[in-house]
Amino acid sequence: MLPRSFRTIRRSVLAAALGLFAVAPLSSQTPSRSTAPHLERRGAATQLIVDGKPFLMLAGELGNNAATTMEAVRPIWTNLVAMHLNTALIALSWAQIEPKEGEFDWSLVDGLLQGARDNHLHVVFLWFGSWKNTWSSYAPDWVKADYTRFPRTRQRNGTPDERLTPLSAVNRDADARAFASLMQHIRAVDAETHTVLMMQVENEVGSIPDARDYSPVANDAFAKPVPKALVDDLVAHKDTLAPDLRAAWQTSNFRTNGTWEELFGKALTTDEFFMAWHYATYINAVADAGKQAYDIPMFANAALIRTSYVPGQYNSGGPLPQSFDIWHAGAPRLDMLAPDIYFNFKEWTAKYDRPDNPLFVPETFGGAAGAPNAFYALGHEDAMGFSPFGIGGEPDATDVLGPVYDALAQLTPLILEHQSSGTGMDAVVVDGLTRAQRIRVGDYTLDLTPLGAGGATSRGAETPPFGLFIATGPNEYVMAGSGLGIKFTPETPGASYVGLGTVQEGRFVDGRWVTSRQLGGDDTGQGTALSLRGTPHGPGMLRVTLYRYQ
Ligand code: DGJ
């Protein structure tokens, strides 16, 4: 993420340049049907470009096995549409695609693509190849049964695990061949349509229960010098290395040749760095094989660390912040490293939103507590997408994700524009630690205070107060959210007092604002304070002009 001060300056400049309620679709790019989905730096943000235009993924990840047959997935599509998703994250298992070595079955992939297209949805496939949550349960039987040819990891005490070792070139090449075939097939059936946006390569890799693999091939590599390619990269980025990695390397006075323990010390973190290199280079080879067939964005996802856990209690060597430098050195073919966030949402998004790592949240908690984080990820951290896990069931009366995505779909052109301009937009989710908040958006500071009983909707779903605020002109805002009172303080020279001009509740229909009620009097604190109350169904939306007086 860019420093906040930089983003604020950029955002004020854009706010000044925009006209009153500038809400028309904002990208004027000419769609190019022949360009594959890709990531592109657009101003202050890296965005996913689909058919020549930036695309915001309002996504959900299906349960691991929810789409393993067409019969199972059939009822799910309409639920996704009803919840205003535009993208489904769907697992594809190596076992189903290559049930016999060298013999591929594309019927499921083709059926899923047809189902998605019939429902105007995009897809991000999750390649459950060598690993899913550290284990190898989605590898084909011909791999699982041949433990001599396809070696497993071993625990320190010698016990073998049902986890393919990342130190085996045979494992890697078998996975890479399958993945390359998959990408060839996707290219053949989707290169013009672009239903498939991105690929997640493997799932939540890492070593458990020990911090590293103790198989013979791993022990051998661990006793050898740290590969020169990694050392050279660390030397080149010495001043910006993750603090834990730098501190470990400093113990050897930044030695540039020697074993892992000679360079980084005898510690579980050294085991972790060793595994990070081997997972990264393995996955890089798989991604590279896939990209040679069809080059669309690819990423690896991380299971995150709970407080006081040590490597091996969490996925040691996964794409975690302390190993970012190693992953970036070992897996340059990956477009990003992505966090699966089930706690401390803000902390983790801040760690993964970096100038060298655009943010996508492929897994997180949904529901009333989690769905509002979509506002925060897209509006505060400039994420390219948000995707709660376990989506696909019929939305019930307390569903919050659907209404949240409905609002975000309406605001998508504005969000994309302001992500790229880096100015005039911010979002909050008010949790226990951050009750009242002050945020600068455009030419004003907004004082945000939780209203009454938070963001309870009349349907019984308890959301935290949340909101997304966009300066659409020098004295104009569009905002969406629930449970927040808002007062404005001017930040530019001129009269000191602020009044609310025109305040409208409403929604965007085909990019045009449609007012449902015009507000004044009691509903605007007699023209002094806004109440973003939300609707019985989730976030409400307001359009507001301000004026100043002395
Ligand atoms: C994280 C994994 O990546 C998902 O596949 C799934 O198993 C969830 N955990 C379950 O909470």
Side-chain angles (χ1 to χ4, degrees):
M1 194 176 91
L2 294 164
R4 298 308 298 176
S5 55
F6 180 79
R7 288 158 59 101
T8 306
I9 293 163
R10 298 289 311 274
R11 285 179 175 175
S12 324
V13 170
L14 179 84
L18 283 176
L20 185 75
F21 293 136
V23 294
L26 293 152
S27 172
S28 56
Q29 305 294 318
T30 310
S32 158
R33 299 294 297 171
S34 58
T35 310
H38 62 281
L39 303 189
E40 203 173 289
R41 189 79 189 167
R42 295 228 168 166
T46 297
Q47 297 181 317
L48 172 64
I49 308 297
V50 184
D51 297 328
K53 293 182 291 189
F55 186 86
L56 210 54
M57 287 177 280
L58 306 178
E61 182 169 326
L62 275 52
N64 295 161
N65 307 308
T68 47
T69 65
M70 293 317 297
E71 186 188 341
V73 77
R74 196 163 294 121
I76 290 177
W77 300 118
T78 48
N79 296 336
L80 304 182
V81 173
M83 292 169 74
H84 302 274
L85 274 77
N86 60 26
T87 304
L89 271 63
I90 301 179
L92 284 179
S93 91
W94 183 6
Q96 279 191 275
I97 284 177
E98 194 182 11
K100 288 193 184 145
E101 187 168 8
E103 288 180 24
F104 294 93
D105 178 352
W106 304 122
S107 55
L108 182 63
V109 175
D110 292 344
L112 292 172
L113 291 182
Q114 193 55 53
R117 287 175 191 152
D118 289 347
N119 290 280
H120 308 290
L121 288 163
H122 287 279
V123 166
V124 173
F125 280 128
L126 318 177
W127 173 238
F128 284 10
S130 294
W131 302 289
K132 191 270 167 194
N133 292 48
T134 79
W135 299 90
S136 300
S137 61
Y138 286 89
D141 289 358
W142 56 268
V143 171
K144 286 177 175 163
D146 195 345
Y147 58 87
T148 312
R149 183 174 161 212
F150 301 108
R152 314 298 149 88
T153 59
R154 277 185 192 271
Q155 297 175 23
R156 191 183 196 126
N157 64 14
T159 309
D161 285 321
E162 266 311 76
R163 297 176 167 108
L164 293 164
T165 170
L167 285 105
S168 159
V170 174
N171 293 350
R172 180 196 66 202
D173 293 347
D175 186 327
R177 273 194 300 275
F179 189 65
S181 298
L182 171 61
M183 295 313 296
Q184 259 159 26
H185 183 74
I186 292 175
R187 183 191 184 109
V189 297
D190 198 49
E192 290 303 309
T193 316
H194 306 153
T195 300
V196 183
L197 301 179
M198 310 201 292
M199 302 295 292
Q200 179 185 293
V201 190
E202 316 296 342
N203 187 77
E204 291 195 354
V205 300
S207 176
I208 284 178
D210 290 312
R212 76 166 174 90
D213 175 11
Y214 284 85
S215 65
V217 64
N219 288 339
D220 225 39
F222 193 66
K224 287 196 172 131
V226 177
K228 186 173 177 326
L230 174 58
V231 176
D232 288 349
D233 201 276
L234 297 184
V235 169
H237 297 96
K238 190 171 160 191
D239 294 338
T240 57
L241 294 179
D244 290 356
L245 176 60
R246 194 171 199 282
W249 194 19
Q250 197 162 18
T251 60
S252 73
N253 203 18
F254 302 109
R255 192 172 156 170
T256 53
N257 55 50
T259 65
W260 291 85
E261 290 188 336
E262 284 168 347
L263 262 62
F264 303 112
K266 194 169 172 50
L268 290 181
T269 46
T270 298
D271 297 354
E272 179 175 21
F273 297 146
F274 168 75
M275 293 309 293
W277 174 253
H278 288 287
Y279 281 115
T281 49
Y282 186 118
I283 290 176
N284 190 60
V286 175
D288 181 55
K291 282 194 171 223
Q292 285 188 38
Y294 185 37
D295 191 356
I296 58 174
M298 297 190 186
F299 63 96
N301 64 330
L304 302 178
I305 310 170
R306 290 188 183 272
T307 316
S308 80
Y309 278 30
V310 297
Q313 289 175 318
Y314 63 81
N315 300 24
S316 176
L320 288 158
Q322 64 272 30
S323 302
F324 268 12
D325 302 292
I326 297 174
W327 273 82
H328 283 151
R333 293 295 265 161
L334 292 180
D335 295 85
M336 60 197 158
L337 307 173
D340 291 351
I341 312 179
Y342 290 94
F343 53 95
N344 297 356
F345 190 86
K346 293 178 193 172
E347 185 188 307
W348 286 110
T349 51
K351 285 185 173 154
Y352 279 79
D353 175 12
R354 302 164 31 133
D356 58 355
N357 195 70
L359 181 65
F360 173 55
V361 183
E363 272 187 53
T364 186
F365 55 107
N373 286 328
F375 274 47
Y376 186 82
L378 306 177
H380 182 78
E381 295 289 359
D382 296 339
M384 68 184 76
F386 179 86
S387 175
F389 179 77
I391 301 301
E394 200 174 333
D396 67 14
T398 60
D399 169 54
V400 175
L401 186 65
V404 159
Y405 276 180
D406 184 13
L408 289 172
Q410 295 171 51
L411 295 170
T412 287
L414 284 171
I415 294 171
L416 287 167
E417 162 87 9
H418 286 261
Q419 283 188 345
S420 155
S421 71
T423 183
M425 176 170 72
D426 206 349
V428 300
V429 175
V430 179
D431 52 36
L433 295 174
T434 52
R435 295 302 296 164
Q437 286 198 42
R438 305 189 86 219
I439 55 170
R440 170 83 187 264
V441 183
D443 292 343
Y444 293 84
T445 288
L446 281 58
D447 276 286
L448 309 173
T449 321
L451 287 173
T457 71
S458 68
R459 295 191 300 168
E462 273 290 335
T463 65
F466 66 104
L468 172 71
F469 306 90
I470 303 175
T472 47
N475 289 301
E476 300 130 18
Y477 290 84
V478 166
M479 58 188 71
S482 178
L484 286 172
I486 302 142
K487 287 191 171 176
F488 295 85
T489 309
E491 295 293 351
T492 52
S496 326
Y497 296 93
V498 182
L500 300 178
T502 303
V503 180
Q504 297 168 330
E505 270 178 1
R507 55 184 285 116
F508 288 98
V509 178
D510 298 331
R512 305 257 158 247
W513 178 258
V514 177
T515 305
S516 53
R517 282 204 306 162
Q518 181 134 336
L519 305 181
D522 296 349
D523 286 325
T524 63
Q526 318 309 325
T528 63
L530 287 175
S531 295
L532 188 55
R533 295 199 175 279
T535 72
H537 309 285
M541 208 176 287
L542 294 175
R543 197 179 164 195
V544 184
T545 61
L546 307 178
Y547 63 91
R548 291 167 65 172
Y549 63 97
Q550 200 68 48

